[in-house]
């Protein structure tokens, strides 16, 4: 790992038996790589993120298999961050993957699938941040993560299904396969 206070170690990086990831946040942008509208209305009250290749899934930059999946993120300690001030607390949040953090243009943070970023993490969550994220006070904390059901602080599956193009594409592909 690079300079900074961290609790995660090993390859892949883990803490207390859970997978670790780095985090950052971004604002702006057009339609997301999961087909969600720009400035998706739930982003003002719910947590969403652009996931690195391992989280986004598939070899494509559009409608990855990770679109619409939700993860519980828990800071490893209040000041732990590979490059920032940390979270200020260790409260968990749940967020949904709604975009891609491309390794081609963000390799410092967003690793290619099967590799690690500059800080030694194989996964990265780039949280969308003008609404709910801002209230967290997070500054690139190191987190553990695990896949969980959607809802709570993340959008619901129903919100994703009704608002994001990739959800309807996945349903159409599933229906075509079933025929």
């Amino acid at each position: 790992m690079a300079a900074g206070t961290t609790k995660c170690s090993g390859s892949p990086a883990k803490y207390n038996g859970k997978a670790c990831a780095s985090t950052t946040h971004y604002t702006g942008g057009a339609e997301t790589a999961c087909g969600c509208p720009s400035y998706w209305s739930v982003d003002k009250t719910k947590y969403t993120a652009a996931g690195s290749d391992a989280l986004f899934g598939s070899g494509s930059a559009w409608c990855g298999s990770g679109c619409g999946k939700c993860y519980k993120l828990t800071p490893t300690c209040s000041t732990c961050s590979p490059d920032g001030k940390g979270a200020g607390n260790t409260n968990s949040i749940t967020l949904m993957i709604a975009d891609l953090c491309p390794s081609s243009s963000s390799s410092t943070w967003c690793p290619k699938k099967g590799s690690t970023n500059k800080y030694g993490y194989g996964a990265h969550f780039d949280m969308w941040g003008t609404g709910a994220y801002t209230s967290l006070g997070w500054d690139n904390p190191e987190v553990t993560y695990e896949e969980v059901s959607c809802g709570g602080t993340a959008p619901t599956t129903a919100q994703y299904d009704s608002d994001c193009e990739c959800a309807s594409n996945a349903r159409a592909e599933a229906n075509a396969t079933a025929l």
Side-chain angles (χ1 to χ4, degrees):
M1 300 273 170
T5 304
T6 62
K7 297 257 182 181
C8 299
S9 62
S11 183
K14 291 190 174 204
Y15 178 65
N16 288 339
K18 293 185 179 180
C20 291
S22 52
T23 63
T24 51
H25 79 283
Y26 73 106
T27 58
E31 180 178 53
T32 73
C34 293
C36 302
S38 176
Y39 303 107
W40 191 22
S41 63
V42 299
D43 285 332
K44 298 193 185 330
T45 59
K46 302 290 185 178
Y47 301 119
T48 62
S52 59
D53 291 349
L55 299 166
F56 183 77
S58 80
S60 171
W62 179 252
C63 292
S65 58
C67 288
K69 289 187 178 179
C70 291
Y71 294 88
K72 177 182 173 184
L73 274 56
T74 305
T76 58
C77 77
S78 63
T79 58
C80 290
S81 172
D83 188 3
K85 295 178 183 172
N89 62 59
T90 57
N91 298 332
S92 299
I93 63 161
T94 300
L95 59 68
M96 177 182 281
I97 298 298
D99 204 355
L100 170 65
C101 186
S103 58
S104 60
S105 61
S106 304
S107 61
T108 298
W109 288 103
C110 300
K112 291 181 181 178
K113 188 173 184 176
S115 65
T116 60
N117 63 17
K118 173 183 174 182
Y119 303 100
Y121 302 95
H124 180 77
F125 294 89
D126 194 11
M127 296 178 64
W128 195 81
T130 59
Y133 179 83
T134 308
S135 67
L136 286 173
W138 284 14
D139 182 17
N140 304 344
E142 171 187 75
V143 296
T144 60
Y145 70 96
E146 58 189 305
E147 190 173 342
V148 296
S149 297
C150 296
T153 61
T156 64
T157 301
Q159 287 169 316
Y160 175 77
D161 285 350
S162 70
D163 295 346
C164 301
E165 185 177 335
C166 294
S168 59
N169 288 349
R171 280 193 303 278
E173 288 173 14
N175 289 339
T177 303
L179 296 177

